[in-house]
Amino acid sequence: RAKENGRNGYQFYTEGMLDRELRRLELDKDLNKALAQDEFELHLQPQLDLTSGRVNSAEALIRWRHPDRGMIPPFEFIPLAEENGRITDIGRWVVDAACRQLAQWRNGPLSHLRIAINLSGRELDEDDLVDTIQRALSHHEVPASRLEVELTEEIFIQNIEHNRNQLMRLHELGVHLAIDDFGVGYSSLAYLRDFPVDLLKIDRSFITNVTERRDDATIARAVINLAHNLGVRVVAEGVETDAQLQFLRDNHCDLAQGYLISRPIQPLLLEQMLRDEGLLVSE
Ligand code: C2E
Ligand code: MG
Ligand code: MG
Ligand code: MG
């Protein structure tokens, strides 16, 4: 009997693993068609400027509308795309889609909005990344200052010279650079001195319990002070409660992003929301 249980237990385990592996293989295959079939969407999550009480930037987060499986979140396909190299084409699509959106807003009430796109280290490896971005900006006639790129601390660990060159070139174009998930990577602080950083995004894991845990509060405050002393602005990620927002105001954080303000939503809905709630920047 014990043996039987053991066998069932084992079987159950391998089935779970097989399911996951099969799903992965299928997604891998489908990923090759997704671009051609126009299945990706950029959703936008606004960042609230705590000084003005307005919104002048939004983060672009990619979604895959799979014909059979519905909406697939990035953690299920971005790592796959990094492995099979498809990330390069996806990245190009993201850059183009963001610039296209900025161009659409150019003459309306959202003309001041900036879009932040996420780039993985693998995308920064690509020698023609900066040219791709520059071409998309000029094709859509969008000023570089409307675009921001978010990268995680992994870029400070490998290919440092190459990465610094790429980011210096982007900086010279006028593209803003944000360090995403700040505080959870294994990188040296010296890179904040050596790289052209405009923004630090405090990782959500420090914000979740920031009003209950003294150590999280201490870390959040330290990151805000560090950034300000370096002349860098700070965004808090994953803000979900009024108490967290109040903490961030009290401690002079520059921007807040999270479900409290809005989930990532389709551009049209964002436009509507900003208009309805009077959050637009008036010139
Ligand atoms: P990230 O750049 O750190 O994005 C923040 C993630 O936190 C997003 O998940 C967002 O939906 C989620 N989030 C925002 N506010 C809250 C909140 O208040 N509470 C909670 N629990 N979560 C919140 P998402 O959209 O699933 O994206 C996950 C990651 O996938 C991103 O992390 C980013 O690293 C990557 N990613 C997304 N879009 C792209 C893309 O276009 N290109 C690349 N290379 N990576 C992308
Ligand atoms: Mg991000
Ligand atoms: Mg993040
Ligand atoms: Mg992340």
Side-chain angles (χ1 to χ4, degrees):
R1 189 172 181 91
K3 201 170 162 191
E4 212 173 78
N5 276 344
R7 226 186 64 159
N8 286 340
Y10 183 69
Q11 240 175 355
F12 179 74
Y13 184 56
T14 47
E15 265 169 30
M17 286 190 1
L18 257 176
D19 280 352
R20 235 176 304 144
E21 190 51 31
L22 277 176
R23 182 177 161 88
R24 225 183 78 96
L25 283 172
E26 256 175 58
L27 286 185
D28 192 60
K29 183 163 55 76
D30 294 348
L31 206 47
N32 292 326
K33 297 180 288 186
L35 269 172
Q37 296 176 354
D38 203 22
E39 291 169 2
F40 292 114
E41 291 178 13
L42 276 191
H43 285 197
L44 298 172
Q45 187 178 36
Q47 300 178 329
L48 182 66
D49 184 313
L50 297 179
T51 311
S52 67
R54 303 290 170 87
V55 168
N56 35 32
S57 51
E59 177 176 6
L61 295 152
I62 195 171
R63 302 290 181 259
W64 180 6
R65 195 182 287 280
H66 191 285
D68 315 316
R69 295 171 189 268
M71 214 55 119
I72 304 180
F75 73 87
E76 284 202 53
F77 65 91
I78 293 289
L80 269 180
E82 284 176 4
E83 273 170 47
N84 68 19
R86 193 61 54 183
I87 190 70
T88 311
D89 292 332
I90 294 178
R92 282 201 191 99
W93 180 86
V94 169
V95 168
D96 190 70
C99 291
R100 204 182 323 130
Q101 184 61 67
L102 288 164
Q104 267 181 41
W105 285 339
R106 190 167 33 226
N107 297 314
L110 279 74
S111 62
H112 291 270
L113 227 67
R114 201 158 52 224
I115 292 184
I117 58 171
N118 290 280
L119 294 177
S120 62
R122 179 79 172 64
E123 293 175 76
L124 198 60
D125 288 344
E126 226 53 62
D127 284 322
D128 62 1
L129 174 77
V130 182
D131 291 335
T132 302
I133 291 178
Q134 190 165 20
R135 265 199 304 271
L137 286 167
S138 58
H139 175 78
H140 293 284
E141 298 178 61
V142 169
S145 58
R146 291 270 92 84
L147 193 69
E148 201 167 283
V149 296
E150 297 192 0
L151 287 140
T152 59
E153 291 168 276
E154 69 175 323
I155 60 156
F156 298 147
I157 296 168
Q158 266 188 353
N159 295 334
I160 295 163
E161 259 325 296
H162 170 86
N163 290 345
R164 208 179 92 85
N165 273 327
Q166 297 272 78
L167 294 176
M168 286 307 289
R169 288 178 59 204
L170 280 177
H171 176 74
E172 275 154 26
L173 284 182
V175 174
H176 291 214
L177 168 64
I179 304 301
D180 206 349
D181 306 342
F182 185 76
V184 296
Y186 292 91
S187 69
S188 147
L189 288 175
Y191 294 113
L192 293 182
R193 181 193 57 202
D194 302 335
F195 279 63
V197 176
D198 299 292
L199 274 139
L200 289 187
K201 300 190 74 179
I202 309 177
D203 190 67
R204 171 156 58 90
S205 61
F206 299 116
I207 303 301
T208 304
N209 300 304
V210 80
T211 55
E212 285 101 46
R213 291 188 50 158
R214 266 176 51 164
D215 46 6
D216 283 335
T218 301
I219 291 169
R221 267 195 292 265
V223 173
I224 294 169
N225 289 332
L226 171 71
H228 286 170
N229 289 330
L230 289 166
V232 165
R233 294 174 20 106
V234 194
V235 188
E237 302 193 271
V239 180
E240 295 186 352
T241 69
D242 286 313
Q244 290 164 357
L245 190 65
Q246 193 53 51
F247 172 93
L248 295 165
R249 284 190 208 282
D250 292 344
N251 289 283
H252 312 290
C253 187
D254 300 288
L255 299 144
Q257 184 183 346
Y259 293 170
L260 178 69
I261 296 129
S262 167
R263 289 183 177 256
I265 48 179
Q266 287 175 338
L268 263 177
L269 284 176
L270 178 75
E271 218 171 305
Q272 226 169 56
M273 184 200 120
L274 295 183
R275 200 172 301 160
D276 293 350
E277 299 188 16
L279 293 172
L280 288 171
V281 181
S282 46
E283 204 169 356

